[in-house]
Coordinates of all heavy atoms in Angstrom, one line a residue:
M1 N 102.8 102.5 100.4 CA 101.6 102.9 99.8 C 101.6 104.3 99.6 O 101.8 105.0 100.6 CB 100.5 102.3 100.6 CG 99.1 102.3 99.8 SD 97.7 101.6 100.7 CE 97.7 100.0 100.2
S2 N 101.3 104.9 98.4 CA 101.2 106.3 98.2 C 100.0 106.9 98.9 O 99.1 106.2 99.0 CB 101.4 106.7 96.7 OG 100.2 106.4 96.0
P3 N 99.9 108.3 99.0 CA 98.7 108.8 99.6 C 97.5 108.6 98.7 O 96.4 108.3 99.2 CB 99.1 110.3 99.7 CG 100.5 110.5 99.7 CD 101.0 109.2 98.9
L4 N 97.8 108.6 97.4 CA 96.6 108.4 96.4 C 96.1 106.9 96.6 O 94.9 106.7 96.6 CB 97.1 108.6 95.0 CG 96.0 108.3 93.9 CD1 94.8 109.2 94.1 CD2 96.5 108.6 92.5
D5 N 97.0 105.8 96.8 CA 96.6 104.5 97.0 C 95.9 104.4 98.3 O 94.8 103.7 98.3 CB 97.8 103.6 97.0 CG 98.5 103.5 95.7 OD1 97.9 103.7 94.7 OD2 99.8 103.2 95.6
V6 N 96.3 105.1 99.3 CA 95.6 105.0 100.7 C 94.2 105.6 100.5 O 93.2 105.1 101.0 CB 96.3 105.8 101.7 CG1 95.5 106.1 102.9 CG2 97.7 105.2 102.0
R7 N 94.0 106.7 99.7 CA 92.7 107.3 99.6 C 91.8 106.4 98.7 O 90.7 106.2 99.1 CB 92.8 108.7 98.8 CG 93.4 109.7 99.8 CD 93.4 111.1 99.0 NE 94.4 111.1 98.1 CZ 95.4 111.9 98.0 NH1 95.6 112.7 99.1 NH2 96.3 111.8 97.2
Q8 N 92.4 105.8 97.8 CA 91.6 104.8 97.0 C 91.2 103.6 97.8 O 90.0 103.1 97.7 CB 92.4 104.4 95.7 CG 92.4 105.5 94.7 CD 93.3 105.1 93.5 OE1 94.1 104.1 93.5 NE2 93.0 105.8 92.3
A9 N 92.0 103.1 98.6 CA 91.7 102.0 99.4 C 90.7 102.4 100.5 O 89.7 101.7 100.7 CB 92.9 101.5 100.3
L10 N 90.7 103.6 101.0 CA 89.6 104.1 102.0 C 88.3 104.2 101.3 O 87.2 103.9 101.7 CB 90.0 105.5 102.6 CG 91.2 105.3 103.5 CD1 91.6 106.8 104.0 CD2 90.7 104.5 104.8
L11 N 88.3 104.8 100.0 CA 87.1 105.0 99.2 C 86.5 103.5 99.0 O 85.3 103.4 99.0 CB 87.4 105.5 97.8 CG 86.2 105.8 96.9 CD1 85.2 106.6 97.5 CD2 86.7 106.3 95.6
V12 N 87.3 102.6 98.7 CA 86.8 101.1 98.4 C 86.1 100.6 99.7 O 85.0 100.0 99.6 CB 87.9 100.2 97.9 CG1 87.5 98.8 97.9 CG2 88.4 100.6 96.6
L13 N 86.8 100.8 100.8 CA 86.3 100.3 102.1 C 84.9 101.0 102.5 O 84.0 100.4 102.8 CB 87.2 100.6 103.2 CG 88.5 99.7 103.2 CD1 89.5 100.2 104.3 CD2 88.0 98.2 103.4
L14 N 84.9 102.3 102.1 CA 83.6 103.1 102.4 C 82.5 102.6 101.5 O 81.4 102.3 102.0 CB 83.9 104.6 102.1 CG 82.6 105.4 102.2 CD1 82.2 105.5 103.6 CD2 83.0 106.9 101.8
L15 N 82.8 102.3 100.3 CA 81.8 101.8 99.4 C 81.4 100.4 99.6 O 80.3 100.0 99.5 CB 82.3 101.9 97.9 CG 82.5 103.4 97.3 CD1 83.0 103.4 95.9 CD2 81.1 104.1 97.3
A16 N 82.3 99.6 100.2 CA 82.1 98.2 100.5 C 81.1 98.3 101.7 O 80.2 97.4 101.8 CB 83.3 97.5 100.9
G17 N 81.2 99.2 102.6 CA 80.3 99.3 103.8 C 78.9 99.7 103.3 O 77.9 99.5 104.1
C18 N 78.8 100.3 102.2 CA 77.5 100.7 101.7 C 77.3 100.0 100.4 O 76.9 100.7 99.4 CB 77.5 102.3 101.4 SG 77.9 103.2 102.9
S19 N 77.5 98.7 100.3 CA 77.5 97.9 99.0 C 76.2 97.9 98.3 O 76.1 97.4 97.2 CB 78.1 96.6 99.3 OG 77.3 95.9 100.1
T20 N 75.2 98.4 99.0 CA 73.8 98.2 98.3 C 73.6 99.5 97.4 O 72.6 99.7 96.8 CB 72.7 98.1 99.4 OG1 72.9 99.3 100.2 CG2 72.9 96.8 100.2
V21 N 74.5 100.4 97.5 CA 74.4 101.7 96.6 C 75.5 101.7 95.7 O 76.6 101.6 96.0 CB 74.3 102.9 97.5 CG1 74.2 104.2 96.7 CG2 73.2 102.9 98.5
Q22 N 75.1 102.0 94.4 CA 76.2 102.0 93.4 C 75.9 103.2 92.3 O 74.8 103.6 92.2 CB 76.3 100.7 92.5 CG 76.6 99.5 93.3 CD 76.5 98.3 92.5 OE1 75.9 98.3 91.4 NE2 77.0 97.1 92.9
W23 N 76.9 103.7 91.8 CA 76.8 104.7 90.6 C 76.3 103.8 89.4 O 76.9 102.9 89.0 CB 78.1 105.3 90.3 CG 78.6 106.3 91.3 CD1 79.7 106.2 92.2 CD2 78.0 107.6 91.6 NE1 79.7 107.3 93.0 CE2 78.7 108.2 92.6 CE3 76.9 108.3 91.1 CZ2 78.5 109.4 93.2 CZ3 76.6 109.6 91.6 CH2 77.4 110.1 92.6
Q24 N 75.2 104.4 88.9 CA 74.6 103.6 87.7 C 74.3 104.7 86.8 O 74.0 105.9 86.9 CB 73.4 102.9 88.1 CG 73.7 101.7 88.9 CD 72.4 100.9 89.4 OE1 71.4 101.3 88.9 NE2 72.6 99.9 90.2
K25 N 74.5 104.3 85.3 CA 74.2 105.1 84.3 C 73.7 104.2 83.1 O 74.2 103.2 82.8 CB 75.4 105.9 83.9 CG 75.3 106.7 82.6 CD 76.7 107.4 82.4 CE 76.8 107.9 80.9 NZ 78.1 108.5 80.7
P26 N 72.5 104.6 82.5 CA 72.2 103.7 81.3 C 73.3 103.5 80.3 O 73.9 104.4 79.9 CB 71.0 104.6 80.7 CG 70.5 105.5 81.9 CD 71.7 105.7 82.6
G27 N 73.4 102.3 80.0 CA 74.4 101.9 79.0 C 75.9 101.8 79.6 O 76.7 101.2 78.9
A28 N 76.1 102.1 80.8 CA 77.4 102.0 81.4 C 77.7 100.6 82.1 O 76.8 100.2 82.7 CB 77.7 103.1 82.3
T29 N 78.7 100.1 81.8 CA 79.2 98.7 82.3 C 79.8 99.1 83.8 O 80.1 100.3 84.0 CB 80.3 97.9 81.6 OG1 81.5 98.8 81.6 CG2 79.8 97.7 80.2
P30 N 79.8 98.1 84.7 CA 80.5 98.4 86.0 C 81.9 98.8 85.8 O 82.4 99.8 86.6 CB 80.4 97.0 86.7 CG 79.2 96.3 86.1 CD 79.2 96.7 84.6
E31 N 82.5 98.3 84.8 CA 84.0 98.7 84.6 C 84.0 100.2 84.3 O 84.9 101.0 84.6 CB 84.6 97.9 83.5 CG 84.9 96.5 83.9 CD 83.6 95.6 83.7 OE1 82.6 96.0 83.1 OE2 83.6 94.5 84.4
M32 N 83.1 100.7 83.3 CA 83.1 102.1 82.9 C 82.8 103.0 84.1 O 83.4 104.0 84.3 CB 82.0 102.3 81.9 CG 82.3 101.7 80.5 SD 80.9 101.7 79.4 CE 80.6 103.4 79.1
A33 N 81.8 102.5 85.0 CA 81.5 103.3 86.2 C 82.7 103.4 87.1 O 83.0 104.5 87.7 CB 80.3 102.7 86.9
E34 N 83.4 102.3 87.2 CA 84.6 102.3 88.1 C 85.7 103.2 87.5 O 86.3 104.1 88.3 CB 85.2 100.9 88.2 CG 86.3 100.8 89.2 CD 86.8 99.4 89.4 OE1 86.0 98.6 89.3 OE2 88.1 99.3 89.6
A35 N 85.9 103.2 86.3 CA 86.9 104.1 85.6 C 86.5 105.6 85.7 O 87.3 106.5 86.1 CB 87.1 103.7 84.1
D36 N 85.2 105.8 85.6 CA 84.7 107.2 85.7 C 84.9 107.7 87.1 O 85.2 108.9 87.4 CB 83.3 107.4 85.2 CG 83.2 107.4 83.7 OD1 84.2 107.8 83.0 OD2 82.0 107.1 83.1
A37 N 84.6 106.8 88.1 CA 84.6 107.1 89.6 C 86.1 107.5 89.9 O 86.4 108.4 90.6 CB 84.1 106.0 90.4
R38 N 87.1 106.7 89.4 CA 88.5 106.9 89.7 C 88.9 108.3 89.1 O 89.6 109.0 89.7 CB 89.3 105.8 89.0 CG 89.4 104.6 89.9 CD 90.6 103.7 89.5 NE 90.5 103.3 88.1 CZ 89.9 102.3 87.5 NH1 89.2 101.4 88.3 NH2 90.0 102.1 86.2
A39 N 88.4 108.6 87.8 CA 88.8 109.8 87.2 C 88.2 111.0 88.1 O 88.9 112.0 88.2 CB 88.3 109.9 85.8
C40 N 86.9 110.9 88.4 CA 86.3 112.0 89.2 C 86.9 112.1 90.6 O 87.2 113.2 91.0 CB 84.8 111.6 89.4 SG 83.8 112.0 87.9
S41 N 87.4 111.0 91.2 CA 88.0 111.1 92.5 C 89.4 111.8 92.3 O 89.8 112.6 93.1 CB 88.2 109.6 93.0 OG 88.9 109.7 94.2
A42 N 90.1 111.4 91.2 CA 91.4 112.1 91.0 C 91.3 113.5 90.8 O 92.0 114.4 91.3 CB 92.2 111.4 89.8
A43 N 90.3 114.0 90.0 CA 90.0 115.4 89.7 C 89.6 116.1 91.0 O 90.1 117.2 91.2 CB 88.9 115.5 88.7
A44 N 88.9 115.5 91.9 CA 88.4 116.1 93.1 C 89.7 116.3 94.0 O 89.7 117.4 94.6 CB 87.4 115.2 93.8
Q45 N 90.5 115.4 94.0 CA 91.7 115.5 94.9 C 92.7 116.5 94.3 O 93.3 117.3 95.1 CB 92.5 114.1 95.0 CG 91.7 113.1 95.8 CD 92.1 111.7 95.6 OE1 93.2 111.5 95.0 NE2 91.4 110.8 96.1
A46 N 92.8 116.6 93.0 CA 93.6 117.6 92.4 C 93.2 119.0 92.7 O 93.9 120.0 92.7 CB 93.8 117.4 90.9
A47 N 91.9 119.2 92.8 CA 91.2 120.4 93.1 C 91.5 120.9 94.6 O 91.1 122.0 94.9 CB 89.8 120.5 92.7
S48 N 91.9 120.0 95.4 CA 92.1 120.3 96.8 C 93.6 120.3 97.2 O 94.1 119.2 97.6 CB 91.3 119.3 97.8 OG 90.0 119.3 97.5
P49 N 94.2 121.3 97.0 CA 95.7 121.3 97.2 C 96.1 121.0 98.7 O 95.3 121.4 99.6 CB 96.2 122.6 96.9 CG 95.0 123.5 97.0 CD 93.8 122.6 96.7
L50 N 97.1 120.3 98.9 CA 97.7 120.0 100.2 C 98.1 121.3 100.9 O 98.6 122.2 100.3 CB 98.7 118.9 100.3 CG 98.3 117.6 99.8 CD1 99.5 116.7 99.7 CD2 97.3 117.0 100.7
P51 N 98.0 121.3 102.3 CA 98.4 122.6 102.9 C 100.0 122.8 102.7 O 100.7 121.8 102.7 CB 98.2 122.2 104.4 CG 97.2 121.2 104.4 CD 97.3 120.4 103.2
R52 N 100.4 124.0 102.5 CA 101.8 124.3 102.3 C 102.5 124.4 103.7 O 101.9 124.8 104.7 CB 102.0 125.5 101.6 CG 101.3 125.4 100.2 CD 101.6 126.8 99.5 NE 100.9 126.8 98.3 CZ 100.8 127.8 97.5 NH1 101.3 129.0 97.8 NH2 100.2 127.7 96.3
P53 N 103.8 124.0 103.6 CA 104.6 124.4 104.9 C 104.7 125.8 105.2 O 104.6 126.7 104.2 CB 106.0 123.8 104.5 CG 105.8 122.9 103.3 CD 104.6 123.5 102.6
Q54 N 104.7 126.1 106.4 CA 104.8 127.5 106.8 C 106.3 127.9 107.1 O 107.0 127.1 107.8 CB 104.0 127.8 108.1 CG 102.5 127.7 107.9 CD 101.7 128.0 109.1 OE1 102.2 128.0 110.2 NE2 100.5 128.2 108.9
T55 N 106.8 129.1 106.6 CA 108.1 129.5 106.7 C 108.1 130.7 107.7 O 107.4 131.6 107.5 CB 108.8 129.9 105.5 OG1 108.7 128.7 104.6 CG2 110.3 130.2 105.6
T56 N 109.0 130.6 108.8 CA 109.0 131.7 109.8 C 110.5 132.2 109.9 O 111.4 131.3 110.0 CB 108.5 131.3 111.1 OG1 107.3 130.7 111.0 CG2 108.5 132.4 112.1
T57 N 110.7 133.4 109.8 CA 112.1 133.9 109.9 C 112.2 134.5 111.3 O 111.5 135.3 111.9 CB 112.3 135.0 108.9 OG1 112.2 134.6 107.6 CG2 113.9 135.6 109.0
M58 N 113.1 133.9 112.1 CA 113.4 134.3 113.5 C 114.2 135.5 113.5 O 114.8 136.0 112.7 CB 114.1 133.1 114.3 CG 113.4 131.8 114.1 SD 111.8 131.7 114.7 CE 112.1 131.6 116.5
A59 N 114.2 136.2 114.7 CA 114.9 137.5 114.9 C 116.5 137.2 114.7 O 117.1 138.2 114.2 CB 114.7 137.9 116.4
S60 N 116.9 136.1 114.9 CA 118.3 135.8 114.6 C 118.7 135.6 113.2 O 119.8 135.5 112.7 CB 118.7 134.5 115.5 OG 117.9 133.4 114.8
G61 N 117.6 135.6 112.3 CA 117.8 135.4 110.9 C 117.7 133.9 110.5 O 117.6 133.6 109.3
A62 N 117.5 133.0 111.4 CA 117.3 131.7 111.1 C 115.9 131.4 110.5 O 114.9 132.1 110.9 CB 117.4 130.8 112.4
V63 N 115.7 130.6 109.5 CA 114.5 130.3 108.9 C 114.0 128.9 109.4 O 114.8 128.0 109.3 CB 114.6 130.3 107.4 CG1 113.4 129.9 106.7 CG2 115.1 131.6 106.9
V64 N 112.8 128.9 109.9 CA 112.2 127.7 110.4 C 111.0 127.2 109.5 O 110.2 128.0 109.2 CB 111.6 127.9 111.9 CG1 111.0 126.6 112.4 CG2 112.8 128.3 112.8
V65 N 111.0 126.0 109.0 CA 110.0 125.6 108.2 C 109.1 124.5 109.0 O 109.7 123.6 109.5 CB 110.6 124.9 106.9 CG1 109.4 124.3 106.1 CG2 111.3 125.9 106.0
T66 N 107.9 124.8 109.1 CA 106.9 124.0 109.9 C 106.0 123.3 108.9 O 105.3 123.9 108.1 CB 106.1 124.8 110.8 OG1 107.0 125.5 111.6 CG2 105.2 123.9 111.7
E67 N 106.1 122.0 108.9 CA 105.3 121.1 108.1 C 103.8 121.1 108.7 O 103.8 121.0 110.0 CB 105.7 119.7 107.8 CG 107.0 119.7 107.1 CD 106.8 119.9 105.6 OE1 105.8 119.7 105.1 OE2 107.8 120.5 105.0
P68 N 102.7 121.0 107.9 CA 101.4 120.9 108.5 C 101.3 119.5 109.3 O 101.8 118.6 108.8 CB 100.4 120.9 107.3 CG 101.2 121.2 106.2 CD 102.7 121.2 106.5
N69 N 100.6 119.6 110.4 CA 100.4 118.4 111.2 C 99.5 117.4 110.6 O 99.8 116.2 110.5 CB 99.9 118.7 112.6 CG 101.0 119.4 113.5 OD1 102.2 119.1 113.2 ND2 100.7 120.1 114.5
E70 N 98.4 118.0 110.0 CA 97.5 117.1 109.3 C 97.3 117.5 107.9 O 96.7 118.6 107.6 CB 96.1 117.2 110.0 CG 96.1 116.7 111.5 CD 94.7 116.7 112.1 OE1 93.8 116.4 111.3 OE2 94.6 116.9 113.3
P71 N 97.9 116.8 107.0 CA 97.9 117.2 105.6 C 96.4 117.1 105.0 O 96.1 117.7 104.0 CB 98.7 116.2 104.9 CG 98.8 115.0 105.8 CD 98.6 115.6 107.1
R72 N 95.5 116.3 105.7 CA 94.1 116.2 105.1 C 93.2 116.3 106.3 O 93.2 115.5 107.1 CB 94.0 114.8 104.4 CG 95.2 114.4 103.7 CD 95.1 114.3 102.2 NE 93.8 114.0 101.7 CZ 93.2 114.7 100.7 NH1 94.0 115.6 100.1 NH2 92.0 114.4 100.2
D73 N 92.4 117.3 106.2 CA 91.5 117.5 107.3 C 90.1 117.1 106.9 O 89.9 116.8 105.8 CB 91.4 118.9 107.9 CG 91.0 119.9 106.8 OD1 90.7 119.5 105.8 OD2 91.1 121.1 107.2
A74 N 89.1 117.0 107.8 CA 87.8 116.4 107.5 C 87.1 117.3 106.5 O 86.4 116.8 105.6 CB 87.1 116.2 108.8
T75 N 87.2 118.6 106.6 CA 86.6 119.6 105.8 C 87.1 119.3 104.3 O 86.2 119.2 103.4 CB 86.8 121.0 106.2 OG1 86.3 121.1 107.5 CG2 86.0 121.9 105.3
R76 N 88.3 119.1 104.1 CA 88.8 118.9 102.8 C 88.3 117.6 102.1 O 88.0 117.5 101.1 CB 90.3 119.0 102.8 CG 91.0 118.8 101.4 CD 92.4 118.9 101.4 NE 92.7 120.4 101.4 CZ 93.4 121.0 102.4 NH1 94.0 120.3 103.4 NH2 93.6 122.2 102.4
Q77 N 88.3 116.6 103.0 CA 87.8 115.3 102.6 C 86.4 115.4 102.1 O 85.9 114.8 101.2 CB 88.1 114.2 103.6 CG 89.5 113.9 103.7 CD 89.8 112.9 104.9 OE1 88.9 112.5 105.6 NE2 91.0 112.6 105.2
M78 N 85.5 116.1 102.9 CA 84.2 116.2 102.6 C 84.0 117.0 101.4 O 83.2 116.6 100.4 CB 83.4 117.0 103.8 CG 82.0 117.0 103.5 SD 80.9 117.6 104.9 CE 81.8 119.0 105.5
Q79 N 84.8 118.0 101.1 CA 84.7 118.8 99.8 C 85.2 117.9 98.6 O 84.5 118.1 97.6 CB 85.7 120.0 99.9 CG 85.2 121.1 100.9 CD 86.2 122.3 101.1 OE1 87.4 122.1 100.7 NE2 85.7 123.2 101.7
E80 N 86.1 117.1 98.8 CA 86.5 116.1 97.7 C 85.4 115.2 97.4 O 85.1 115.0 96.4 CB 87.7 115.4 98.1 CG 89.1 116.2 98.1 CD 90.2 115.5 98.5 OE1 90.1 114.3 98.7 OE2 91.4 116.0 98.6
G81 N 84.8 114.7 98.5 CA 83.6 113.8 98.2 C 82.5 114.5 97.4 O 81.9 113.9 96.6
Q82 N 82.2 115.7 97.8 CA 81.1 116.5 97.1 C 81.6 116.7 95.6 O 80.8 116.6 94.7 CB 80.9 117.8 97.8 CG 80.2 117.5 99.1 CD 80.2 118.8 100.0 OE1 81.0 119.8 99.8 NE2 79.3 118.8 101.1
R83 N 82.8 117.0 95.4 CA 83.3 117.3 94.0 C 83.2 116.1 93.3 O 82.9 116.0 92.1 CB 84.7 117.8 94.1 CG 84.8 119.3 94.5 CD 86.2 119.8 94.2 NE 86.4 121.0 94.9 CZ 87.2 121.3 96.1 NH1 87.8 120.4 96.6 NH2 87.2 122.5 96.5
M84 N 83.6 114.9 93.9 CA 83.5 113.7 93.2 C 82.1 113.3 92.8 O 81.8 113.0 91.7 CB 84.1 112.6 94.1 CG 84.4 111.3 93.4 SD 83.0 110.1 93.5 CE 83.7 108.6 93.0
Q85 N 81.1 113.5 93.7 CA 79.7 113.2 93.4 C 79.3 114.1 92.3 O 78.5 113.7 91.4 CB 78.9 113.3 94.6 CG 79.2 112.2 95.7 CD 78.3 112.4 96.9 OE1 77.2 113.1 96.9 NE2 78.7 111.7 98.0
E86 N 79.6 115.4 92.3 CA 79.2 116.3 91.3 C 79.7 115.8 89.9 O 79.0 115.8 89.0 CB 79.7 117.7 91.7 CG 79.2 118.7 90.7 CD 79.7 120.1 91.0 OE1 79.7 120.5 92.3 OE2 80.0 121.0 90.1
C87 N 80.9 115.5 89.9 CA 81.6 115.0 88.7 C 80.9 113.8 88.1 O 80.5 113.8 86.9 CB 83.0 114.7 89.0 SG 84.0 113.9 87.5
M88 N 80.5 112.8 89.0 CA 79.8 111.7 88.5 C 78.4 112.0 88.0 O 78.0 111.5 86.9 CB 79.7 110.7 89.6 CG 81.0 109.9 90.0 SD 81.6 109.0 88.6 CE 80.7 107.4 88.7
R89 N 77.7 113.0 88.7 CA 76.4 113.4 88.2 C 76.5 114.1 86.9 O 75.6 113.9 86.0 CB 75.8 114.2 89.3 CG 75.3 113.3 90.5 CD 74.4 114.1 91.5 NE 74.0 113.2 92.5 CZ 74.6 113.2 93.7 NH1 75.6 114.0 94.0 NH2 74.1 112.4 94.6
Q90 N 77.6 114.9 86.6 CA 77.7 115.5 85.4 C 78.0 114.6 84.2 O 77.8 114.8 83.1 CB 78.9 116.6 85.5 CG 78.6 117.8 86.3 CD 79.8 118.7 86.5 OE1 80.9 118.4 86.1 NE2 79.4 119.9 87.0
K91 N 78.5 113.4 84.6 CA 78.7 112.3 83.6 C 77.6 111.5 83.3 O 77.6 110.6 82.6 CB 79.9 111.5 84.0 CG 81.3 112.1 84.0 CD 82.3 111.2 84.5 CE 83.8 111.7 84.4 NZ 84.4 111.8 83.2
G92 N 76.5 111.9 84.1 CA 75.2 111.2 83.8 C 74.9 110.0 84.8 O 73.9 109.3 84.7
Y93 N 75.6 109.8 85.8 CA 75.4 108.8 86.7 C 74.5 109.2 88.0 O 74.4 110.4 88.2 CB 76.8 108.4 87.4 CG 77.7 107.6 86.5 CD1 78.6 108.3 85.7 CD2 77.6 106.2 86.4 CE1 79.5 107.6 84.9 CE2 78.5 105.5 85.6 CZ 79.4 106.2 84.8 OH 80.2 105.5 83.9
A94 N 73.9 108.2 88.5 CA 73.1 108.6 89.8 C 73.4 107.4 90.8 O 73.6 106.2 90.3 CB 71.6 108.5 89.4
L95 N 73.3 107.6 92.1 CA 73.5 106.6 93.0 C 72.1 105.9 93.1 O 71.2 106.5 93.4 CB 73.9 107.3 94.3 CG 75.3 107.6 94.5 CD1 75.6 108.3 95.8 CD2 76.2 106.4 94.5
K96 N 72.2 104.6 93.0 CA 71.0 103.8 93.0 C 71.3 102.5 93.9 O 72.3 102.0 93.9 CB 70.5 103.4 91.7 CG 70.1 104.6 90.8 CD 69.4 104.2 89.6 CE 69.0 105.5 88.9 NZ 68.4 105.3 87.7
S97 N 70.2 102.0 94.5 CA 70.3 100.7 95.2 C 70.6 99.6 94.2 O 70.0 99.6 93.1 CB 69.1 100.3 96.0 OG 68.9 101.5 97.0
A98 N 71.5 98.6 94.6 CA 71.9 97.6 93.8 C 70.8 96.5 93.8 O 70.1 96.4 94.6 CB 73.2 97.0 94.1

């Protein structure tokens, strides 16, 4: 499963836990809302680049590359969620009880 698939699965699980709240927009079908939510989620994730590996040159001249331990931290995930919500609101959606 790719990282994007994992994030989408987590989003679905999160939304399932809060199934009484949905993105709604006058004239939008549930399929349209889902497609817009996917597009907003992808845009929010693209705006949050993953941490880059760190390169260190040792005194011996050897180069050591250290991969980040946590590619996605809680702050980044929160920022992505905020960007996703902002995107949906800009498209005319509002979160409402089902």
Side-chain angles (χ1 to χ4, degrees):
M1 194 178 264
S2 74
L4 182 58
D5 293 335
V6 170
R7 286 185 286 247
Q8 288 177 339
L10 290 173
L11 179 62
V12 168
L13 289 174
L14 176 65
L15 292 175
C18 305
S19 62
T20 60
V21 178
Q22 297 177 346
W23 286 108
Q24 295 180 359
K25 172 180 165 179
T29 65
E31 293 79 15
M32 291 169 64
E34 184 178 329
D36 284 336
R38 280 194 309 269
C40 285
S41 179
Q45 290 168 11
S48 297
L50 294 174
R52 296 181 184 174
Q54 294 182 346
T55 304
T56 306
T57 304
M58 307 301 281
S60 65
V63 176
V64 177
V65 177
T66 306
E67 293 290 331
N69 289 335
E70 295 185 39
R72 320 242 341 128
D73 62 6
T75 301
R76 179 172 287 117
Q77 290 175 1
M78 187 169 43
Q79 290 170 347
E80 285 178 8
Q82 291 168 343
R83 286 186 189 110
M84 191 269 193
Q85 289 181 18
E86 181 180 326
C87 175
M88 289 297 284
R89 288 189 178 98
Q90 287 176 352
K91 290 179 180 279
Y93 288 90
L95 281 173
K96 297 190 178 181
S97 297

